[in-house]
Amino acid sequence: MMRSIRKAAVIGSGVMGSGIAAHLANAGIPCLLLDIVPKQPTDEETAKGLTLEHAAVRSRLAAQAVEKLRKTKPSPLYDDAFADRITPGNLDDHLALIADVDWVIEVVVENLEVKQRLLSRVEAHWKPGTVVSSNTSGISIEAMSADCSESFRRHFLGTHFFNPPRYMKLLELIPGELTEPDIVSGMREFCEKRLGKGVVLAKDTPNFIANRIGTYGLLVTLQEMLDKGFAVEEVDAVTGPAMGRPKSATFRTLDLVGIDTFVHVANNVYESTQDEAEKAVFAVPAALRGMVEKGWLGEKSGQGFYLKQKGPNGSEILSLNVAAMEYEPQKKPSSASLEAVKLAKGAKEKTKALIGAGDRYSELAWNILKKVLVYSAEKLGEIADTVREIDEAMKWGFNWELGPFETWDAIGLPKSVQRMEAEGTAVPAWVKDWVAAGHTSFYRKQEGATFYVSRGEYKQLETPAEEISLKRLKEHNKVVKSNSGASLIDLGDGVACLEFHSPNNAIGADILVMIQQSLEEVRRNYDGLVIANQGRNFCVGANIMILLMEAQDEEWDEIDGIIRLFQNTMYKVKRFEKPVVAAPHRMTLGGGVEACMPADRIVAAAETYFGLVEAGVGLIPAGGGCKELALRTSQRVTHPDADMQPYINQAFETIGMAKVSTSGHDALKLGLFKPTDRIVVNQEHLIYEAKRSVLGLARGGYEPIREEKIRVVGAEGKAVLQLGAYGMKQGGYISDHDLKIANKLAHVLAGGDVPAGSLVTEQYMLDLEREAFLSLCGEPKTQARMQHMLAKGKALRN
């Protein structure tokens, strides 16, 4: 059973401790945040007459940490108001309060003796049954709890969150020898469902799984660079997206982590391992030690492997010549292998293209990759029992697209083992035996099921009911209809799912046609519809390339037809006689927002960045976005004499400034979600929850949304909006073209030049949207913005 955690306590209010407390608060869990009592008051506290006996002074460290959470960007909180769920305190005065919590998390300095002393104090106030965990990145769980009682140790385990806790999916659970299995399974389920984590079970070994493999990989990469004379930027060109890894690759990652932090993690394995070959790899190179001595620690010190400085042509980023310990202008790496990678699609094909091209960069990639693959295989059974736990740890903790064993499968297991042995690389015996037994991969699919290696044999992957995979459903022939832009997929239980799969999930005519066809299919054969996909982002908006081409050719009737198709399609979704639930995640922009707004309900991932951003390309929303916000204002202010202006001002500001929510909760504050919409923390459960919502609506006597008139602020309200925009122009905050866009937007949101309080139809508002959109498409500066967005991926302010 899932563990019931109603209240928690975090001990240690540093970056990691406060971040964990923030994420507990995100999940709706009240939390104590405790730290030590300061040794003395600050000068400011003394000036106020405060002494060390004053409560504000004694709990200052935790209180400051909570306030910092509200200001940190990117925010550790879904909503700044959630900081109120965290109660700051100190260890001397408030430790006894842990008797009232369900989970105590220790997040103090990475020092065994400090942790042991703290656990002794915790046990003195511990209530039997309460879970206690240590957020350590590598200290032994057994060692730190060795002096605790057997009962305490049965409820104790490691919970290694990755930083920052809100954004990093990986959580390593590390049971001790006496940890009760029910505690492990209950906490695993809680952390997956309530905290949205990807949980792997790690063994109590130095640095556990992800840091063990990741640190090894970074060290062998550094050594390969030093041995073969590669430049920092060359290595990063090879070990980034070309190899299915993040853009930060190797050395930008080290700069982000902090060179001193990385050295500490490497030393942890060096001091713990008895294997001399492994010890040699984890011995920190002199170059890294030198960087720490110089204070070149990466981002936090302003320089590391890279240094940003101002040059004659603006800012430039220099790279470190590690051999000379001097910064130099970067070279632009180029080779046949890197060109081959550009032509390949997906991490599997890119990796194969990279190592198969036969040039010096291919050799660099292969020499790094084979060592990481062999090391991962050597550690199977020591750090984790299954290849899947190692793979998931690297994907969730280091943002690799493929884990080590998935990579091995991708490049060809038998072939690569043969090459390794031919080159004198010692391949673990179990891998050779596995291949000799006729196996060609560590994963296999059979009769629709996935199997992976665990303890020397294949084990079937058991997928929780909450994790609906559209890819798996398509493999099981559940596609009902499909075209180039979208597919309708049978989710079972009378619910269908409309999936976007165009490039970047941008909305074009193909998606709009499939939406209309899907409505017809659902009308005949289903109880309701989910609009969702499992791409990197839900939808980046409409296909502006087509709009730009038509505008440049002055094909105004074509553009008018496209917008009418969009508007009519969204209108049909809104008036559909069966429930429709939209399930957006991550970037959901422009037309993507307008595809969600007509739904009966939005069930969104917590990490949803939702915004009507058309002003950034010189336009206004014309797929119903303006109409929907005006309608919500009308519904919100029901009394005829009530002032609607403040609410329409908010909508004007949200659209005009192209605001994008920082989370699903923030979208609610911006008025882009309705109070009835839901937020789901674990994105893997999103489609399941959306399906449940459809079924709930269908079984509850669903009635379609009826059309209603919209009360608008009219000409008077329009003047207020335009006056505000003019003031911003006079103050130098917006350009002439921004002002033109703002005036068009004001005209639409206000309902045109009708008297204040007039009631208008939804179609009237849609006509205003379309007219303004067409007018702006003809503006040269709007076309320049569209062109710039397509070329550069960011807005042009002209």
Side-chain angles (χ1 to χ4, degrees):
M1 290 180 60
M2 184 171 80
R3 195 77 184 175
S4 176
I5 306 294
R6 294 159 298 179
K7 190 174 182 181
V10 175
I11 302 176
S13 67
V15 171
M16 198 69 206
S18 61
I20 292 171
H23 198 55
L24 290 167
N26 287 335
I29 299 165
C31 185
L32 288 169
L33 182 61
L34 308 180
D35 212 318
I36 61 172
V37 174
K39 293 182 178 179
Q40 59 187 29
T42 63
D43 291 343
E44 183 179 355
E45 288 168 339
T46 301
K48 292 179 179 177
L50 303 180
T51 69
L52 200 53
E53 300 307 312
H54 196 280
V57 177
R58 296 175 70 78
S59 297
R60 182 212 314 143
L61 296 180
Q64 287 179 339
V66 173
E67 285 309 305
K68 190 175 180 180
L69 290 174
R70 303 178 195 270
K71 301 171 185 175
T72 301
K73 301 297 177 187
S75 179
L77 297 159
Y78 293 150
D79 185 324
D80 289 350
F82 291 175
D84 294 338
R85 296 172 178 170
I86 305 172
T87 303
N90 67 77
L91 285 169
D92 288 357
D93 302 330
H94 305 115
L95 187 57
L97 295 177
I98 67 171
D100 295 324
V101 307
D102 304 300
W103 182 14
V104 178
I105 312 171
E106 169 272 304
V107 200
V108 299
V109 64
E110 286 286 87
N111 178 288
L112 177 58
E113 291 184 1
V114 172
K115 289 180 181 291
Q116 287 174 329
R117 287 197 298 270
L118 178 60
L119 289 181
S120 177
R121 294 183 65 186
V122 167
E123 186 171 11
H125 299 283
W126 176 68
K127 178 181 66 180
T130 300
V131 177
V132 181
S133 70
S134 171
N135 184 73
T136 174
S137 59
I139 294 178
S140 169
I141 300 302
E142 280 301 298
M144 72 172 77
S145 63
D147 296 331
C148 296
S149 69
E150 181 178 324
S151 178
F152 184 90
R153 292 172 67 193
R154 287 203 301 267
H155 294 80
F156 181 69
L157 72 164
T159 47
H160 181 207
F161 288 82
F162 271 57
N163 192 32
R166 169 184 164 181
Y167 299 98
M168 292 300 291
K169 185 171 181 178
L170 179 62
L171 172 61
E172 294 175 323
L173 285 188
I174 311 100
E177 290 180 8
L178 299 182
T179 310
E180 291 181 0
D182 286 351
I183 296 291
V184 178
S185 60
M187 288 302 294
R188 178 173 196 155
E189 189 173 359
F190 169 81
C191 292
E192 288 173 343
K193 290 185 176 179
R194 288 291 303 276
L195 301 185
K197 291 298 170 187
V199 178
V200 298
L201 291 183
K203 297 196 174 185
D204 192 9
T205 55
N207 290 3
F208 312 127
I209 301 175
N211 278 344
R212 184 75 169 267
I213 302 293
T215 303
Y216 178 90
L218 291 166
L219 285 167
V220 296
T221 301
L222 178 60
Q223 196 59 54
E224 191 70 19
M225 180 188 77
L226 295 172
D227 290 347
K228 303 294 173 57
F230 285 98
V232 162
E233 62 269 27
E234 289 181 303
V235 174
D236 275 356
V238 171
T239 59
M243 201 185 276
R245 311 281 172 80
K247 289 182 180 179
S248 57
T250 297
F251 296 109
R252 290 190 191 279
T253 295
L254 284 170
D255 278 356
L256 289 168
V257 168
I259 312 301
D260 54 339
T261 301
F262 177 76
V263 167
H264 171 78
V265 173
N267 279 334
N268 194 43
V269 178
Y270 178 82
E271 293 167 359
S272 302
T273 184
Q274 303 303 313
D275 184 323
E276 290 303 320
E278 186 174 34
K279 190 179 284 285
V281 174
F282 281 89
V284 176
L288 281 188
R289 293 198 302 271
M291 291 176 71
V292 173
E293 290 169 4
K294 290 175 178 289
W296 298 355
L297 306 180
E299 289 281 317
K300 59 187 173 185
S301 68
Q303 64 187 105
F305 285 100
Y306 292 95
L307 170 65
K308 185 176 182 179
Q309 68 176 26
K310 291 183 178 178
N313 299 316
S315 295
E316 62 176 335
I317 299 176
L318 307 179
S319 63
L320 181 66
N321 180 326
V322 179
M325 292 298 280
E326 295 177 351
Y327 290 96
E328 300 174 348
Q330 292 187 60
K331 306 166 189 173
K332 188 168 179 61
S334 177
S335 73
S337 58
L338 294 179
E339 290 303 312
V341 165
K342 292 177 184 177
L343 300 175
K345 291 187 177 180
K348 293 181 180 180
E349 295 304 316
K350 287 180 184 294
T351 305
K352 287 166 67 176
L354 178 63
I355 67 172
D359 59 23
R360 63 191 294 263
Y361 288 161
S362 291
E363 182 184 2
L364 171 64
W366 170 250
N367 287 342
I368 293 168
L369 195 58
K370 70 178 180 180
K371 292 175 183 175
V372 173
L373 300 184
V374 166
Y375 185 73
S376 299
E378 289 174 347
K379 295 303 160 190
L380 185 67
E382 179 184 334
I383 63 175
D385 284 331
T386 74
V387 299
R388 185 169 179 268
E389 281 166 327
I390 292 176
D391 282 348
E392 299 287 37
M394 298 316 299
K395 290 189 291 184
W396 294 335
F398 279 74
N399 293 318
W400 291 8
E401 291 187 53
L402 300 172
F405 295 98
E406 291 172 325
T407 301
W408 216 333
D409 282 357
I411 64 175
L413 177 58
K415 181 180 176 182
S416 59
V417 167
Q418 186 178 25
R419 179 178 174 183
M420 289 174 187
E421 291 197 289
E423 294 171 353
T425 300
V427 178
W430 79 265
V431 175
K432 293 192 289 185
D433 291 344
W434 186 255
V435 173
H439 300 297
T440 58
S441 64
F442 295 112
Y443 292 83
R444 76 173 188 194
K445 290 188 177 180
Q446 183 177 335
E447 298 178 355
T450 299
F451 296 82
Y452 58 93
V453 175
S454 172
R455 297 179 182 270
E457 61 183 14
Y458 277 126
K459 178 181 180 180
Q460 184 173 346
L461 175 63
E462 296 179 4
T463 305
E466 294 88 353
E467 294 184 12
I468 294 176
S469 167
L470 298 181
K471 180 180 178 182
R472 276 200 300 272
L473 289 171
K474 288 188 282 187
E475 291 171 350
H476 285 71
N477 301 314
K478 296 297 183 180
V479 175
V480 181
K481 288 180 175 291
S482 186
N483 66 16
S484 59
S487 296
L488 184 69
I489 302 167
D490 189 342
L491 295 180
D493 301 316
V495 180
C497 176
L498 178 70
E499 175 202 33
F500 300 169
H501 47 64
S502 62
N504 294 317
N505 289 341
I507 296 176
D510 49 1
I511 287 180
L512 297 173
V513 168
M514 183 52 62
I515 292 175
Q516 296 208 25
Q517 291 179 357
S518 296
L519 293 177
E520 289 302 315
E521 181 68 29
V522 171
R523 178 178 286 116
R524 290 191 299 268
N525 298 312
Y526 292 88
D527 295 326
L529 178 67
V530 169
I531 300 176
N533 64 71
Q534 292 174 324
R536 177 173 176 78
N537 297 304
F538 177 79
C539 177
V540 298
N543 190 331
I544 61 172
M545 180 178 287
I546 293 174
L547 287 171
L548 176 61
M549 291 170 60
E550 299 290 5
Q552 289 174 333
D553 292 341
E554 299 185 359
E555 297 285 354
W556 310 121
D557 287 344
E558 290 294 326
I559 296 177
D560 183 73
I562 292 170
I563 299 308
R564 284 181 186 272
L565 177 61
F566 199 157
Q567 291 181 341
N568 292 340
T569 302
M570 295 305 107
Y571 185 84
K572 288 181 178 180
V573 171
K574 186 165 186 179
R575 300 285 170 251
F576 192 54
E577 62 266 32
K578 294 184 178 181
V580 178
V581 173
H585 65 276
R586 296 188 62 81
M587 299 301 292
T588 304
L589 306 175
V593 171
E594 292 175 305
C596 294
M597 281 183 153
D600 296 283
R601 186 167 296 163
I602 292 174
V603 176
E607 297 298 344
T608 298
Y609 317 123
F610 206 76
L612 293 163
V613 296
E614 286 83 353
V617 289
L619 298 167
I620 68 161
C626 295
K627 179 262 293 182
E628 282 297 316
L629 289 189
L631 174 59
R632 291 179 190 186
T633 297
S634 177
Q635 292 170 333
R636 187 174 183 178
V637 186
T638 55
H639 195 281
D641 297 328
D643 187 6
M644 296 173 58
Q645 194 69 47
Y647 302 103
I648 212 69
N649 290 351
Q650 180 188 3
F652 180 68
E653 184 178 304
T654 297
I655 298 175
M657 296 181 68
K659 289 186 177 181
V660 177
S661 73
T662 57
S663 68
H665 297 84
D666 191 44
L668 181 60
K669 286 177 68 175
L670 290 174
L672 298 171
F673 285 176
K674 295 176 288 187
T676 52
D677 294 336
R678 282 191 56 212
I679 310 296
V680 176
V681 177
N682 191 328
Q683 190 174 307
E684 303 295 325
H685 300 173
L686 187 60
I687 294 179
Y688 172 82
E689 294 296 340
K691 176 184 172 181
R692 284 184 62 202
S693 186
V694 166
L695 291 172
L697 289 168
R699 293 165 182 170
Y702 175 75
E703 293 184 9
I705 300 172
R706 297 178 182 178
E707 183 166 358
E708 59 181 287
K709 293 288 184 72
I710 302 171
R711 190 158 64 92
V712 295
V713 294
E716 293 178 17
K718 170 183 166 181
V720 173
L721 298 177
Q722 291 181 333
L723 181 62
Y726 178 76
M728 291 189 72
K729 171 63 180 64
Q730 291 300 104
Y733 296 106
I734 62 174
S735 67
D736 287 335
H737 193 53
D738 290 327
L739 181 61
K740 181 172 289 188
I741 298 165
N743 285 335
K744 296 280 187 184
L745 176 61
H747 181 74
V748 175
L749 284 175
D753 293 319
V754 298
S758 295
L759 295 174
V760 301
T761 65
E762 290 189 39
Q763 187 59 54
Y764 170 84
M765 294 294 289
L766 290 172
D767 291 342
L768 291 182
E769 282 187 0
R770 193 175 62 259
E771 291 164 6
F773 188 93
L774 281 164
S775 173
L776 288 168
C777 278
E779 295 286 341
K781 287 190 175 182
T782 285
Q783 293 178 20
R785 287 191 181 192
M786 295 166 75
Q787 184 74 53
H788 191 270
M789 179 62 73
L790 289 168
K792 304 291 186 181
K794 55 185 179 181
L796 171 69
R797 299 305 303 272
N798 57 359

